[in-house]
Amino acid sequence: MEYKLRLNSLDDTVKLAELIAEKVFPGMIIGLTGDLGSGKTTFTKYFSRYIGVKDNLNSPTFTILKIYSGNYDLYHMDVYRLEDIGYDYELEEFIYGSGISVIEWYEYIKSMLPNEILSITFTVIDENQRDVVVKGEGKYEKIVKAISDRYSN
Ligand SMILES: Nc1ncnc2c1ncn2[C@@H]1O[C@H](COP(=O)(O)OP(=O)(O)O)[C@@H](O)[C@H]1O
Ligand SMILES: [Mg+2]
């Protein structure tokens, strides 16, 4: 199932992060994609707060993986630098572990990921507006459904 919505402001992005965080479960995997500056890290920052992470989350670009702890462990990855390699087997123990993985540029390591993930694609409309497509099958489908229920009239 997939659902497309328009985020008109940063506050809408914060609310989307909160809604998804309400549905969090051990081993959850969220894949984010969209151009630089489209909001992947910003989404992750607010998501992290809603799952109880107290440390300030920032961009992991130069480290690939940063680990935070809150109500769950959070593995924040930015795999942009794996574009030409497509895998990093050291990430597997995290992705398939019981913490929550949020992966920026997830499509670059698609071969390492299970088929079922929640994917969010961000497109910049203007300075504060973003279009978002949320997609998920199997155990992620009900999350997409909850989002569509919240935003449809
Ligand atoms: N609706 C919105 N959602 C997310 N970010 C927004 C929004 N409007 C403006 N922004 C700004 O866009 C930038 C997004 O940057 P960032 O999250 O680092 O992007 P990415 O990780 O995709 O490269 C931030 O400066 C953020 O404040
Ligand atoms: Mg980023």
Side-chain angles (χ1 to χ4, degrees):
M1 181 181 185
E2 72 175 63
Y3 184 73
K4 184 174 177 179
L5 67 149
R6 169 69 55 88
L7 304 170
N8 286 309
S9 65
L10 185 61
D11 198 46
D12 282 351
T13 301
V14 175
K15 285 185 181 128
L16 179 66
E18 181 180 21
L19 180 53
I20 295 173
E22 282 168 11
K23 309 288 177 192
V24 79
F25 57 86
M28 185 182 196
I29 302 171
I30 303 175
L32 307 177
T33 192
D35 288 341
L36 206 67
S38 60
K40 302 181 296 297
T41 302
T42 300
F43 169 86
T44 311
K45 184 191 293 273
Y46 289 102
F47 176 82
S48 75
R49 292 187 190 167
Y50 286 117
I51 64 164
V53 172
K54 299 278 181 265
D55 289 348
N56 192 37
L57 181 144
N58 47 51
S59 185
T61 302
F62 299 103
T63 53
I64 299 185
L65 169 67
K66 279 193 185 172
I67 302 174
Y68 299 86
S69 66
N71 306 332
Y72 299 85
D73 283 342
L74 172 66
Y75 313 128
H76 182 205
M77 303 174 204
D78 183 324
V79 299
Y80 185 77
R81 287 190 301 139
L82 299 179
E83 178 176 7
D84 299 323
I85 313 168
Y87 60 86
D88 176 340
Y89 292 124
E90 290 180 0
L91 297 178
E92 269 187 347
E93 65 173 294
F94 297 99
I95 292 167
Y96 290 89
S98 59
I100 314 303
S101 296
V102 179
I103 310 168
E104 298 192 34
W105 301 103
Y106 76 97
E107 68 270 31
Y108 292 154
I109 58 161
K110 221 165 190 170
S111 64
M112 285 182 60
L113 298 176
N115 289 329
E116 286 183 13
I117 69 165
L118 185 74
S119 76
I120 310 177
T121 302
F122 292 86
T123 304
V124 176
I125 302 302
D126 65 21
E127 194 184 340
N128 295 306
Q129 292 188 311
R130 307 286 186 265
D131 268 352
V132 156
V133 178
V134 188
K135 205 188 281 191
E137 306 301 334
K139 55 185 177 288
Y140 294 93
E141 194 169 334
K142 58 179 180 290
I143 300 176
V144 183
K145 179 77 168 51
I147 294 166
S148 85
D149 287 349
R150 177 76 61 95
Y151 289 91
S152 312
N153 301 308

